[in-house]
Amino acid sequence: MEQVAFFPLGDSGIVIKLGDAIDQATQQKVKALADYFEEHPLPGMVEYVPGYTSVTVYYDPVAWYDPRAADMPYERFKALLAGQLVHIRADEQTKPRLVEIPVCYGGAFGPDLLDVAAYHGITPDELIRIHSGQEYLVHMIGFAPGFPYLGGLDKRIATPRRQSPRTAIAPGSVGIGGEQTGIYPIESPGGWQIIGRTPERLFRPEEQPPSLLRAGDRVRFCPISEEQYGKWGQIGP
């Protein structure tokens, strides 16, 4: 794997930077490395966290401390990580998982839909058609447990964040923030433009893994009615 750089993060973390651009090619490298760590956990590794252009690995420095060695745990663990990269091929990934997310757009579920449509000079139906007509790439999970940062938003509906953020956004809310779209998995503050809501639970702490979506997944939004939203537990998967 080429163009890799390592940076310390505190006394128990190493950032493995795999590129500079937020694009699909870099994301493939991130996913390939994360998949490798999932299948081949390293001695002393606590967890790994995929990001836009990097994977951060947290490790136990005590497990890598050797009073007889001249180098520190960081250098020793970094050498192990560097040695693993020769086994990783970003061009040999399996077909990404496609997850369909039902969304009830507008009304009480999407209080900013009309404003976003007016901002772009299009109808609400056209906004819904554009938003649900794309396949999105999950670049990373962050901000809140299970929150997916989705790339691939059509530039025709890219919209600045709200000038005044809300103090509480309902779980499942689908929003637009700049050139990204995402889904709030739990109630939290936020400044994204809320255009709809999904009845799907994105954060499931009783399951393993607890996040419905993972970096590298593809997402497609499927419009549903308020009636379907209310019955989703009965008619959904």
Side-chain angles (χ1 to χ4, degrees):
M1 191 173 286
E2 301 177 353
Q3 298 179 336
V4 176
F6 297 87
F7 303 96
L9 183 63
D11 60 357
S12 60
I14 296 180
V15 178
I16 308 173
K17 188 175 181 181
L18 302 170
D20 296 313
I22 301 175
D23 54 26
Q24 187 165 342
T26 302
Q27 204 286 323
Q28 286 179 341
K29 295 178 184 179
V30 170
K31 186 177 187 305
L33 185 56
D35 287 348
Y36 181 84
F37 289 147
E38 182 68 22
E39 297 174 6
H40 306 87
L42 304 178
M45 184 176 73
V46 176
E47 65 174 330
Y48 61 89
V49 181
Y52 275 123
T53 61
S54 65
V55 177
T56 299
V57 181
Y58 294 93
Y59 64 98
D60 180 3
V62 175
W64 281 86
Y65 176 69
D66 184 349
R68 300 165 298 177
D71 52 357
M72 299 297 291
Y74 168 76
E75 284 80 12
R76 294 165 59 83
F77 192 70
K78 183 179 75 170
L80 174 67
L81 292 175
Q84 303 303 306
L85 297 182
V86 299
H87 304 298
I88 299 165
R89 292 285 302 275
D91 57 350
E92 293 183 354
Q93 294 189 69
T94 57
K95 184 177 180 180
R97 186 176 63 140
L98 175 62
V99 182
E100 294 187 341
I101 302 292
V103 179
C104 183
Y105 288 93
F109 294 140
D112 298 321
L113 180 73
L114 296 179
D115 289 340
V116 173
Y119 177 84
H120 294 287
I122 59 178
T123 67
D125 286 344
E126 180 68 4
L127 174 60
I128 294 169
R129 186 191 67 78
I130 295 172
H131 187 263
S132 61
Q134 306 287 120
E135 268 192 20
Y136 298 92
L137 172 64
V138 181
H139 281 281
M140 59 179 264
I141 303 296
F143 167 64
F147 186 102
Y149 285 90
L150 306 177
L153 182 70
D154 193 304
K155 293 185 183 298
R156 290 177 294 171
I157 58 172
T159 312
R161 291 167 172 78
R162 289 172 53 87
Q163 291 186 353
S164 185
R166 293 182 172 92
T167 58
I169 294 177
S173 293
V174 176
I176 293 175
E179 295 186 359
Q180 296 182 108
T181 187
I183 312 168
Y184 286 80
I186 60 176
E187 182 177 303
S188 64
W192 289 31
Q193 305 281 354
I194 304 303
I195 61 172
R197 191 185 305 169
T198 177
E200 285 282 16
R201 293 174 61 218
L202 270 74
F203 179 55
R204 309 174 180 191
E206 73 280 3
E207 298 182 8
Q208 191 58 241
S211 176
L212 172 64
L213 299 174
R214 298 185 288 276
D217 285 347
R218 310 292 298 192
V219 170
R220 179 177 289 277
F221 294 110
C222 302
I224 60 173
S225 66
E226 289 190 25
E227 182 180 4
Q228 289 174 307
Y229 183 101
K231 295 181 179 179
W232 188 254
Q234 307 168 30
I235 65 174

